[in-house]
Amino acid sequence: MNTTEIFLIAMTIIFTVPYMIWRVGRTDHYAPLVVVQIITGILLGPGILGRLFPDYYSFVFNPTVVQSLNGIAWWAVMLFVFIAGIELDLSQAWQHKKESGITAGLALGVPLIFGALAALVIQSGVLGTGWYGPKASPWQFTMGVAMSCAVTALPILILFMEQLNILRQPIGQRILRYASLDDIAIWGVLALILMDWARVGKQVFFLLAFAVLSVVFRKLMTALAERDRWFASLIWLALCAFGADWSGLHYMVGAFLAGAIMDAHWFNQERLDMLRHHVLLVMMPVFFLSTGLRTNWAVGGEAVFVAAALLLVASVTGKLAGVHLAGKILKWPAGEASAIGWLLQTKALIMIIFVNVLLDKQMITNEAFTALLLMAVASTMLTIPVVAPKLARMKELLTRSA
């Protein structure tokens, strides 16, 4: 077979297997399609499929096909992060700045501390060696793992709240405020971790150029008709991603910045929602597969699972503790902090994107990446089964705006 035919076999597998698992298994209650796609990507990776059927794996996922899939995955994830940046709305957070600041700060800060402690345990060697990336210093590894535990996946959170029918209700808007503030902190910390003092001049130049060009771009966008804004925004996305990658910050940092300086009201909201839906439907499954191809169990299967369990405990308990502390300070009714905390601990997608960047920049190894990926999947699968019955018992929570 030629490369095109093998590539199409790979694409058929990517779209068929997770869809059949999701549809036949009716997994929506604990694992929406996007989570099934992530799990399928892991199953199709070298750690499982590659070990069970090495000849088949090497035939279908040969280097040429993988490189072609990576190209689609790069553009898919850039678009997804770009849309997440556009959808950030900090005006509501500013109107409720005290409540939003306390909740978002504790919801990020406490799991960050718990995650740092888990990273120190992993660094101690008690779970073996092979977790550090070759270009990571101890503080970069610790901060990367800690922030992975503190992340809230804003796009997946939106999908979950749509599924629970609370997105447009006051409780949904409150949670979006908290998650939006944390989202900015996540990308800021990532930029700090990736600061390369050998290339700091390039990075400063990129940030200054981005600041100047953002002003020009915003004026241009307000002058354009909406149909032209879509094309201009894609050009802007590609340029910002290139500039960030050229400077050493990574193209996904540039993609997020490109969207963050844009206003959602420049676009028809239904079309923007449809774009996000189509990116998830048509392109992101390829990213999930390419993510799964990076998983590795070489450090020892048991050690990877133990590390994943440790990170899961740090992530979930840290997030719940932080939100419960915020609830005590703000005098929330009983049970409210628990429901909000479980929603905010949703990890998949943004956290997976975050650790992909760390792996690309050799801050973590494939083994650490695998443990973090397993943690992200497990935490996300816990969300709906835990939150749905809580919300059913707390009808008054849905309409409380602060």
Side-chain angles (χ1 to χ4, degrees), residues 199 201-203 205-206 240-251 361:
R199 295 202 286 179
K202 277 187 172 183
Q203 293 174 343
F205 175 78
F206 164 72
C240 290
F242 168 77
D245 211 66
W246 167 81
S247 70
L249 287 176
H250 202 274
Y251 63 86
K361 292 298 183 179

Side-chain angles (χ1 to χ4, degrees), residues 159-177:
L159 293 178
F160 279 0
M161 290 198 294
E162 284 180 335
Q163 185 175 336
L164 293 166
N165 297 315
I166 63 171
L167 179 61
R168 304 303 174 192
Q169 298 195 48
I171 180 62
Q173 297 305 300
R174 285 174 59 198
I175 294 171
L176 283 182
R177 294 201 304 266

